[in-house]
Amino acid sequence: MKPPDVVRLTPGKRVLFLTKDPALIKRQLAEELDLTMDDLTVADLLDDINTDAMTPAWVCFSHRPEDIARDAYAGLIVDGERLFPRDALKEGNFEVIVSGYRKGVGSSRETATQAEKWSGIDLAIAASFAPIHARNNVSQGVLMGDHGILRRLQAGEGVPLEEFTRGHDPITRLVIRHGGLFPFSKAVAAGEVELPRPDTGPRPMTMAEKLLARHLQGVPAGEERYVKPGDAVVVTVDGGYSHEFTTAQVHHFLEQEYGPDYTIQHPERFAVFEDHLIYADDVPKMRAFTDKIDTLRELQREFQRHVGARDFSARDRVSPGICHEVAREYLVEPGDFIQATDSHTCMGGVNNALAWGVGATEYADLIHTGATMVEVPESIRFELVGRLPEGVTAKDLMLYVLLEYARPQRTLNRVMEFTGPGITGLSMDERATLTNMATECSARTAIVVADEETFRWLAEWRPGADVEAMRRRAVAPDPGAEYAGGVHTIDLSTMRPMVAHPGDPDHGVPSDPTNGAWVDELGEVEIDIAYGGSCTAGKIDDLDFYHRVVKEAVEAGLTVHPRVRFLIQFGSRAVEEHCRRHGMVEAFERAGVTLIQPGCGACIGCGPGVSESPDQVTVSAINRNYKGRSGPGRLYLASPLTVAASAFTGRITAYKPGMFVGELVPA
Ligand code: SF4
């Protein structure tokens, strides 16, 4: 529904303040208390409300927003109890919800917005919003404002709609005015909206800018195309994918908006994957949701049959692999613009493509129309020189980038470009670790410049593909391109093994991938679980890393430390085949490693390898260590080499060649 030109509070409706004091929230939900901005300061309000708190993973097993809304804020737990009982937000008769800074951090899950909207919330007030959450609010037609606006509304004033569109690019302003993405797209299709055209003149461009300029819609063929950061553009999408956690919603929304016979553009360019929930049955906590997960799987199959998308479903309950890994192996090409319903879509940037994750509404809209709207992002460039020392991997480099550049927010919402002679010393799998973890840097995405290794790798993985055509579509930055985030030279030879520690969330130090620390300065950290796998660390080179350490340990007569469970999960079927073909499995089995079939798993708390109690310590090669994501224990992020070495020593240990020979034997 279109918002009014002048926004006012509805008589009889309420405003919910998410206060740091849970007792005040409880009283508001119980209808014992109504607050105004005059009663509170911004400092009294909750900051960093995580999308996991708004809609934990189990809530997302429902695909209908009205069902999701029943468990809005189910992840806000105080003294072991839900602060928001079932239906509490919906039955509170609220139309405005108020919080502090950085509302909606965490994942890209649009369900967080849906939980509020389908509970009756039309206006979210916060000091700031996480960028993807803000985009999801725009897509769903939820207005956003600050505390000053709320003060005026509560004083009875009407606030012009322009005040809610201020600061957004021209196309986003139009989306807000139309009440969300679907009504806006329908208005565009009906010719009711004239889209603004960027008039940026010739200028040197970054890789991301060049790629977006090439995909501009509405520019006559042969005409030079240029964009600059901040331009609002409509661009053609080359391809994308969704998985069983998100496809059901995409299907549901398209049916609702366009009827049961809806169509999508170029179905052969879009794919579905069964990877995220494939091993959820192995986690006792998840068994209660088996029926819902089965429904998600069935709806994905229904969608695939309906539109004819490429099918990467499981066969005999074995996934073909994690969507991002399989996509880079077979789908993503240099010069592509890719959109998919998952935050690690950025991994595709390794193939010299521009790829990022979007919410279900945005994805449904773009597969229906074949295009999407983008505000051209700023970029930050990393010029890599030198070579990584022995025992140091791209994961260590990325943990360093997270600490040095993401923590002070220099990568925030920017495209991270990786260039320089140091790139040539990194394999394609190692480069994929860099692009994968752009999302942990809160970046828009990452892209690696293409070199001969890029085209050799693509030719090897895609026999018969026209690699020369791919070469012509590849992008490189222009000399003189502008980087708002700066150009930073990193000498790879200075890198050392790192971890990201789990912090101390109960005392104000969040679990965060930016908590970088050098392994050799960490002290004694005993571990219970070592996990190698996920989209970040389940690639062929990662398996080679695990195997290198395991083989040395086995040859030294060792098995996995008696206190430790060491699990390795293949990123894709092709990775598993590589390991079997090269005889790696035998060493893993002799060492006592548990091997897991391809797919996601422990990484989202939905597979073997999750911790089971708060006192357990995990060292893991995955990409996120947010509290509770992979079980209740403490989780250290580390490189595949560090994970494997630690599995044998029983404490977090950097790998050194020959380390198991002689005196170093686990206690
Ligand atoms: S492995 Fe983990 S981070 Fe990667 S796509 Fe799966 S759930 Fe997401």
Side-chain angles (χ1 to χ4, degrees):
M1 199 172 64
K2 270 188 180 182
D5 290 339
V6 177
V7 176
R8 295 177 195 282
L9 295 185
T10 313
K13 290 277 183 184
R14 302 173 67 210
V15 178
L16 176 63
F17 288 82
L18 297 173
T19 51
K20 285 179 182 152
D21 180 354
L24 293 180
I25 298 180
K26 267 191 180 167
R27 290 182 57 205
Q28 292 175 84
L29 293 176
E31 300 192 38
E32 296 166 7
L33 178 71
D34 279 296
L35 293 166
T36 73
M37 257 335 278
D38 293 336
D39 303 318
L40 298 160
T41 68
V42 176
D44 296 320
L45 297 165
L46 274 177
D47 298 322
D48 295 301
I49 295 177
N50 194 298
T51 50
D52 276 43
M54 297 167 80
T55 48
W58 62 267
V59 174
C60 310
F61 295 152
S62 298
H63 66 283
R64 278 191 292 260
E66 52 270 39
D67 295 335
I68 290 166
R70 297 194 67 192
D71 287 305
Y73 285 90
L76 270 190
I77 306 289
V78 175
D79 296 331
E81 273 189 28
R82 277 173 64 166
L83 193 54
F84 284 67
R86 177 162 258 215
D87 293 321
L89 185 61
K90 200 170 169 191
E91 289 177 356
N93 195 29
F94 301 106
E95 66 175 352
V96 182
I97 194 159
V98 192
S99 56
Y101 285 89
R102 297 172 295 276
K103 166 91 178 281
V105 291
S107 70
S108 59
R109 62 183 66 155
E110 188 185 295
T111 49
T113 294
Q114 294 162 11
E116 290 189 342
K117 182 178 169 180
W118 268 265
S119 294
I121 302 294
D122 295 324
L123 173 58
I125 298 284
S128 59
F129 293 87
I132 299 182
H133 184 65
R135 204 169 160 95
N136 287 334
N137 279 341
V138 170
S139 295
Q140 288 289 344
V142 174
L143 294 177
M144 289 172 284
D146 62 24
H147 301 97
I149 283 182
L150 177 61
R151 201 180 291 276
R152 288 160 58 200
L153 288 169
Q154 288 195 305
E157 202 182 311
V159 177
L161 187 58
E162 292 89 73
E163 297 202 31
F164 296 90
T165 65
R166 202 172 280 159
H168 292 284
D169 66 79
I171 298 181
T172 303
R173 286 204 286 270
L174 287 169
V175 177
I176 295 171
R177 286 204 148 276
H178 280 81
L181 199 49
F182 284 130
F184 170 73
S185 282
K186 285 178 180 169
V188 172
E192 295 163 6
V193 178
E194 195 175 335
L195 292 171
R197 293 248 174 95
D199 55 1
T200 299
R203 64 188 292 273
M205 290 189 285
T206 65
M207 285 193 268
E209 290 159 7
K210 270 182 157 172
L211 212 144
L212 287 172
R214 276 194 205 163
H215 286 76
L216 282 177
Q217 287 210 327
V219 179
E223 196 171 291
E224 293 283 355
R225 300 150 179 235
Y226 298 93
V227 296
K228 63 176 183 315
D231 282 350
V233 294
V234 179
V235 285
T236 305
V237 178
D238 293 312
Y241 48 92
S242 56
H243 50 65
E244 78 271 40
F245 216 1
T246 54
T247 306
Q249 279 213 324
V250 173
H251 186 41
H252 182 64
F253 289 163
L254 284 169
E255 276 189 332
Q256 276 193 328
E257 291 299 323
Y258 300 105
D261 297 327
Y262 76 83
T263 54
I264 70 167
Q265 305 282 325
H266 304 295
E268 73 286 357
R269 296 183 191 168
F270 295 91
V272 294
F273 284 87
E274 203 173 338
D275 57 352
H276 269 64
L277 305 176
I278 192 92
Y279 306 116
D281 298 356
D282 294 335
V283 179
K285 217 173 82 180
M286 294 295 163
R287 283 191 199 125
F289 305 105
T290 303
D291 287 353
K292 287 189 166 191
I293 293 172
D294 279 344
T295 302
L296 293 181
R297 290 178 182 139
E298 183 45 47
L299 286 169
Q300 173 158 288
R301 284 193 281 273
E302 199 176 294
F303 168 83
Q304 190 279 326
R305 285 192 296 267
H306 179 77
V307 301
R310 292 183 69 171
D311 188 9
F312 291 90
S313 296
R315 301 274 180 265
D316 299 326
R317 298 217 53 217
V318 178
S319 168
I322 303 169
C323 53
H324 312 305
E325 171 62 17
V326 178
R328 85 180 181 98
E329 290 169 358
Y330 302 113
L331 305 179
V332 181
E333 296 193 358
D336 272 355
F337 180 48
I338 301 291
Q339 304 269 269
T341 57
D342 192 278
S343 56
H344 287 100
T345 305
C346 49
M347 187 167 170
V350 65
N351 289 5
N352 191 242
L354 199 63
W356 64 67
V358 291
T361 303
E362 213 171 326
Y363 187 75
D365 187 69
L366 70 88
I367 61 174
H368 183 255
T369 63
T372 192
M373 289 150 296
V374 171
E375 181 180 0
V376 178
E378 295 178 342
S379 297
I380 178 170
R381 180 160 159 188
F382 296 94
E383 184 81 1
L384 306 185
V385 299
R387 289 185 82 88
L388 289 172
E390 176 74 40
V392 181
T393 71
K395 183 56 152 292
D396 300 297
L397 165 61
M398 210 51 201
L399 293 174
Y400 171 81
V401 169
L402 277 151
L403 173 68
E404 291 294 320
Y405 298 94
R407 199 175 181 88
Q409 306 207 30
R410 290 154 96 172
T411 50
L412 182 65
N413 218 11
R414 291 183 168 134
V415 177
M416 301 168 70
E417 297 200 353
F418 290 95
T419 59
I423 290 290
T424 55
L426 298 174
S427 68
M428 287 294 281
D429 282 6
E430 283 285 81
R431 298 176 197 185
T433 299
L434 305 184
T435 53
N436 177 286
M437 292 188 71
T439 194
E440 279 65 49
C441 293
S442 302
R444 176 63 72 92
T445 186
I447 180 169
V448 181
V449 74
D451 64 1
E452 282 312 309
E453 175 59 10
T454 312
F455 302 112
R456 187 206 64 74
W457 186 89
L458 285 164
E460 181 186 320
W461 277 85
R462 302 177 196 179
D466 186 349
V467 174
E468 284 313 307
M470 293 185 192
R471 198 185 287 273
R472 286 192 294 277
R473 291 185 70 221
V475 289
D478 287 329
E482 288 171 24
Y483 291 85
V487 179
H488 308 275
T489 301
I490 298 179
D491 182 353
L492 300 182
S493 68
T494 64
M495 294 295 110
R496 288 151 60 194
M498 285 192 83
V499 295
H501 64 75
D504 186 2
D506 295 338
H507 298 95
V509 185
S511 303
D512 196 287
T514 67
N515 288 342
W518 308 109
V519 175
D520 56 12
E521 293 175 4
L522 205 56
E524 191 81 2
V525 180
E526 291 194 343
I527 60 158
D528 304 289
I529 301 168
Y531 178 85
S534 84
C535 51
T536 332
K539 306 180 260 42
I540 284 178
D541 278 21
D542 301 312
L543 270 293
D544 285 345
F545 285 137
Y546 303 127
H547 181 252
R548 189 196 304 177
V549 182
V550 170
K551 186 164 171 281
E552 278 189 33
V554 167
E555 284 170 359
L558 299 180
T559 54
V560 170
H561 190 283
R563 193 188 51 250
V564 177
R565 271 194 304 140
F566 185 13
L567 306 97
I568 296 178
Q569 185 163 19
F570 306 107
S572 72
R573 219 173 272 166
V575 174
E576 180 175 2
E577 279 162 15
H578 167 91
C579 293
R580 295 197 183 280
R581 216 174 29 249
H582 289 82
M584 294 184 190
V585 169
E586 193 201 343
F588 290 141
E589 286 174 350
R590 278 181 62 196
V593 176
T594 302
L595 291 173
I596 310 166
Q597 287 173 324
C600 307
C603 172
I604 36 162
C606 283
V610 294
S611 60
E612 278 148 23
S613 63
D615 56 321
Q616 283 187 315
V617 178
T618 301
V619 64
S620 177
I622 62 174
N623 41 30
R624 292 175 164 172
N625 58 347
Y626 300 129
K627 187 183 175 195
R629 181 173 164 95
S630 193
R634 291 163 57 76
L635 190 145
Y636 288 76
L637 300 178
S639 79
L641 288 175
T642 300
V643 166
S646 307
F648 291 94
T649 62
R651 59 185 194 280
I652 296 182
T653 311
Y655 164 73
K656 286 193 184 65
M659 66 185 287
F660 300 117
V661 179
E663 63 261 64
L664 189 77
V665 173

